[in-house]
């Protein structure tokens, strides 16, 4: 006597069709109307209009003619901290790197970030409060410095950005004509700045 149950045969589903919307469905009409509106906006007198971003007038190809001594340097939060770790004087190192007069600039949001870091970074805060730093007021909400620096550089291409933050560097590299200053081998270096002798060829 065999107690095992017989296996059920699996039947294949034939003619399994996906559910389709009726072409006269009201939802499809709404989507088509939206597409038609977008097409009308893009065309002017029957011709397709392309939106091209305006390049700043100070840019000649990738060369930025508005950069010149005295150089205005936007300083990021971590740049001051790395300068202290490498025992570098910020003001003399700027001069040694660019071989010209420099105006270091610190924004309100960078100052707020340094204040938030607490007593561990009190030396960096003391350096940031030096009267040789020019202070830039911020109009935006919050204290996130990266977005603020990127927006300022987009509006005015007269700044050099001093940062050691990889994400911020990547964002600024997408903006033509803006040099980036960073710290490598215990000295300040600059990229995308062909006029300086010790600038890397990146």
């Amino acid at each position: 006597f065999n107690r095992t149950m017989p296996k059920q045969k699996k039947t294949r589903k034939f003619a399994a069709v996906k559910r389709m919307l009726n072409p006269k469905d009201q939802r499809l009409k709404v989507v088509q109307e939206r597409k038609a509106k977008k097409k009308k906006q893009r065309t002017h007198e029957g011709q397709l209009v392309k939106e091209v971003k305006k390049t700043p007038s100070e840019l000649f190809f990738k060369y930025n003619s508005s950069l010149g001594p005295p150089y205005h340097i936007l300083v990021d939060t971590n740049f001051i901290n790395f300068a202290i770790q490498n025992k570098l004087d910020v003001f003399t190192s700027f001069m040694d790197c660019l071989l010209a007069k420099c105006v270091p600039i610190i924004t309100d949001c960078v100052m707020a970030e340094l204040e938030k870091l607490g007593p561990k970074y009190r030396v960096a805060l003391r350096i940031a409060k030096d009267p040789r730093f020019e202070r830039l007021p911020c109009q935006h909400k919050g204290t996130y410095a990266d977005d603020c620096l990127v927006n300022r550089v987009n509006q005015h291409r007269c700044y050099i950005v001093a940062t050691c933050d990889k994400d911020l560097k990547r964002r600024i590299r997408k903006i033509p004509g803006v040099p980036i200053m960073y710290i490598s081998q215990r000295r300040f270096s600059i990229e995308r700045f062909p006029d300086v002798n010790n600038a890397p060829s990146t």
Side-chain angles (χ1 to χ4, degrees), residues 65-84:
S65 60
S66 69
L67 284 170
Y71 295 107
H72 293 80
I73 304 164
L74 283 171
V75 183
D76 189 25
T77 314
N78 57 21
F79 191 83
I80 301 168
N81 295 331
F82 274 93
I84 293 162

Side-chain angles (χ1 to χ4, degrees), residues 90-139:
V90 177
F91 303 100
T92 53
S93 298
F94 280 144
M95 294 274 283
D96 292 342
C97 180
L98 293 168
L99 311 172
K101 189 185 175 184
C102 303
V103 181
I105 299 165
I106 201 153
T107 59
D108 286 348
C109 50
V110 170
M111 191 68 84
E113 277 189 0
L114 283 167
E115 285 169 359
K116 275 185 177 180
L117 290 170
K120 193 180 176 183
Y121 296 93
R122 62 182 180 275
V123 181
L125 187 62
R126 199 184 306 151
I127 291 167
K129 286 179 178 176
D130 193 293
R132 286 174 287 182
F133 270 100
E134 197 178 293
R135 192 76 177 264
L136 265 183
C138 294
Q139 305 296 329

Side-chain angles (χ1 to χ4, degrees), residues 49-68:
V49 178
K50 288 183 181 179
E51 286 184 20
V52 181
K53 285 184 180 179
K54 288 184 179 179
T55 52
S57 57
E58 62 265 14
L59 284 181
F60 180 73
F61 292 100
K62 285 188 178 179
Y63 181 78
N64 192 347
S65 60
S66 69
L67 284 170

Side-chain angles (χ1 to χ4, degrees), residues 15 17 20 77 82 86 91 125 130-131 148 157 172 174 176 194-195:
V17 183
M20 301 286 284
T77 314
F82 274 93
N86 288 284
F91 303 100
L125 187 62
D130 193 293
C148 175
R157 305 285 169 97
I172 290 166
K174 292 174 184 176
D195 293 347

